Amino acid sequence: MTAPLHVAIIMDGNGRWAKARMLPRIAGHRRGVEAVRKIVRAAGDLNIGTLTLYAFSSENWRRPAEEVTDLMGLLRRFIQDDIDELVGEGVRLAVIGDYRALAPDLVAMIDDAIGRTRHNHGPQLVIALNYGAQAEIAATARRLAADAAAGSIDPDAIDQATFERAMPSGGLPPVDLLIRTSGEQRLSNFLLWQAAYAELLFVDTLWPDFGPEALAEAVAAFGKRQRRFGGL
Ligand code: FPP
């Protein structure tokens, strides 16, 4: 079976996982990070070339300040604790989204982690942080418009390939399989450009319970889909 090249996941349901156990939401996010650890390894085993995880959307700032702080703390710890292991496993880390708006120490840690994994040749782990697809598309249009106004680009020459190259996330391959956990069936502003022909898979499992077996099942379900890309 051919494994999907690029799997993107909307990791949803941490809060409900915690609520069902009468635990604070942070407990669900903590278990969510455990799930991330396992899924990154499983993705490598399944020959998934790129795994993109939606860790923090540009809309997540609307959550209570305490929860935002907790999520940033978990991210900090993930990068501190896991990066050496990921370097050793050949994983290449990338980040999409406006992560430079995060706390300066976190930005430095992320840049350092990206730098340390730059020459790896294993699977690519992409973390979407302070990411919103619409904002990225608008920012790209703004930049191209400015270039056109300055005369450095011919507006007629702007096609899909030019646009994609100008997008900060433009280096990502198209999404083959997009998974959302927890039963919600929405894209929530995730990879709108790259997911144009993605196969969508919505599973009821809450993110903390989504393990390597669930990922293998998702890949198997993907293998049975007929992809036509608009053709017959
Ligand atoms: C959705 O659950 C999850 C998030 C908004 C955050 C996802 C973050 C993590 C799994 C941890 C940090 C990630 C990394 C890569 C270290 P929710 O809170 O919306 O759940 P609910 O819908 O049940 O309330």
Side-chain angles (χ1 to χ4, degrees):
M1 184 185 26
T2 41
L5 231 53
H6 184 179
V7 175
I9 309 183
I10 302 176
M11 310 179 286
D12 199 4
N14 295 345
R16 275 162 286 166
W17 184 93
K19 194 173 177 201
R21 289 160 182 78
M22 293 199 287
L23 294 169
R25 289 178 61 80
I26 175 73
H29 292 315
R30 258 190 228 121
R31 289 296 287 256
V33 177
E34 291 308 314
V36 167
R37 290 199 171 99
K38 290 186 197 141
I39 289 301
V40 171
R41 263 107 218 167
D45 296 340
L46 289 164
N47 288 324
I48 290 168
T50 301
L51 175 70
T52 302
L53 301 175
Y54 208 178
F56 195 85
S57 79
S58 41
E59 286 74 35
N60 284 153
W61 296 109
R62 295 182 196 145
R63 295 191 176 207
E66 196 189 343
E67 183 168 342
V68 171
T69 307
D70 285 344
L71 283 168
M72 294 299 155
L74 286 177
L75 182 68
R76 210 174 252 114
R77 209 167 320 139
F78 175 78
I79 293 177
Q80 262 165 0
D81 296 353
D82 289 50
I83 200 65
D84 285 335
E85 220 174 303
L86 294 178
V87 172
E89 288 166 15
V91 173
R92 210 157 22 102
L93 181 71
V95 169
I96 55 169
D98 190 11
Y99 74 97
R100 294 193 178 280
L102 305 182
D105 71 306
L106 192 48
V107 175
M109 282 169 62
I110 292 169
D111 283 338
D112 176 63
I114 293 172
R116 287 171 63 197
T117 63
R118 179 159 292 141
H119 300 296
N120 281 353
H121 293 288
Q124 175 169 231
L125 171 64
V126 185
I127 303 184
L129 280 177
N130 195 17
Y131 173 83
Q134 290 180 333
E136 191 193 26
I137 291 168
T140 304
R142 203 157 49 238
R143 197 166 334 115
L144 289 171
D147 288 349
S152 57
I153 186 167
D154 173 4
D156 288 334
I158 300 173
D159 56 11
Q160 282 166 230
T162 323
F163 196 91
E164 193 169 305
R165 272 197 301 277
M167 283 172 71
S169 67
L172 291 185
V175 175
D176 297 296
L177 173 62
L178 192 149
I179 304 169
R180 184 175 191 142
T181 57
S182 90
E184 308 290 345
Q185 302 195 357
R186 289 189 291 277
L187 292 183
S188 299
N189 204 12
F190 189 41
L191 296 174
L192 298 183
W193 180 281
Q194 288 86 355
Y197 286 99
E199 293 295 325
L200 308 180
L201 187 72
F202 301 104
V203 296
D204 288 335
T205 315
L206 303 175
W207 175 250
D209 294 326
F210 191 87
E213 251 176 53
L215 183 64
E217 276 170 31
V219 169
F222 170 83
K224 292 190 188 124
R225 300 271 180 101
Q226 266 207 6
R227 306 186 78 193
R228 292 203 288 269
F229 300 98
L232 290 180

